């Protein structure tokens, strides 16, 4: 008669200094990428918002999209900075972040195209559109890195 023994281990990670803030994350590639996204989205939002000549609904769409994802990406940055993802374990944060980046990348790209088409040579609107495209590029980098973490490297052939 054979017996199967199942052993489970639980590990808890904490910092050596006991602080609740992860300063190393702010200096990491992912942290700097999120800071860059927030700053560029803020600049894009301000470029379009400060233009008082045009009150077109397409520009309001750009403002809503950039402001929303600016807040969401700042929330993700704070979440990782203060290690909240380890305290709220009922949510798959990696997948949630990946989906927000995918939706955000598409919507910011569409909004940037709309503002570029409707700018009519206005320099602040063109600058907002350019910063929107730059934010789209940074979001695409985040999608790629988040995809690599979410899906990992899949085996491509049969192992011998």
């Amino acid at each position: 008669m054979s017996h199967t023994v199942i052993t489970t281990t639980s590990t808890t990670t904490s910092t050596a200094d006991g602080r609740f803030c992860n300063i190393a994350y702010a200096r990491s590639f992912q942290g700097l990428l999120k800071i860059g996204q927030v700053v560029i989205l803020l600049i894009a939002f301000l470029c379009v918002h400060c233009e008082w000549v045009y009150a077109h609904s397409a520009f309001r769409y750009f403002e809503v999209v950039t402001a929303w994802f600016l807040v969401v990406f700042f929330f993700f940055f704070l979440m990782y900075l203060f290690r909240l993802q380890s305290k709220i374990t009922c949510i798959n944060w990696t997948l949630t972040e990946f989906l927000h980046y995918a939706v955000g990348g598409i919507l910011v790209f569409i909004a940037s195209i709309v503002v570029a088409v409707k700018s009519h040579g206005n320099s602040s609107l063109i600058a907002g559109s350019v910063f929107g495209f730059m934010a789209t590029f940074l979001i695409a980098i985040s999608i790629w890195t988040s995809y690599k973490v979410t899906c990992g490297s899949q085996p491509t052939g049969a192992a011998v």
Side-chain angles (χ1 to χ4, degrees), residues 21-160:
C21 187
N22 187 6
I23 298 298
Y25 178 75
R27 296 180 185 143
S28 69
F29 177 73
Q30 288 292 330
L32 291 174
L33 192 59
K34 281 186 184 48
I35 291 171
Q37 290 166 349
V38 168
V39 168
I40 288 181
L41 282 171
L42 179 64
I43 293 170
F45 172 78
L46 290 176
C47 284
V48 174
H49 181 73
C50 292
E51 183 54 50
W52 291 95
V53 176
Y54 299 102
H56 199 272
S57 62
F59 304 133
R60 299 298 166 243
Y61 168 73
F62 183 85
E63 290 175 357
V64 167
V65 167
T66 54
W68 171 254
F69 287 106
L70 178 134
V71 169
V72 169
F73 296 157
F74 187 65
F75 169 75
F76 281 134
F77 176 75
L78 291 178
M79 184 186 70
Y80 285 112
L81 185 68
F82 293 114
R83 296 186 178 107
L84 297 177
Q85 80 279 6
S86 64
K87 293 172 180 56
I88 307 171
T89 57
C90 61
I91 299 173
N92 184 349
W93 289 108
T94 308
L95 184 60
T96 302
E97 188 176 12
F98 175 76
L99 292 175
H100 272 89
Y101 280 131
V103 171
I106 292 168
L107 292 179
V108 170
F109 183 67
I110 291 170
S112 298
I113 290 173
V114 170
V115 169
V117 169
K118 302 276 185 180
S119 65
H120 302 294
N122 189 316
S123 61
S124 66
L125 296 177
I126 292 172
S129 177
V130 168
F131 279 108
F133 287 123
M134 289 170 53
T136 303
F137 177 72
L138 292 179
I139 292 170
I141 292 172
S142 292
I143 290 172
W144 178 251
T145 57
S146 180
Y147 174 78
K148 289 192 326 187
V149 169
T150 303
C151 297
S153 60
Q154 302 293 328
T156 56
V160 177

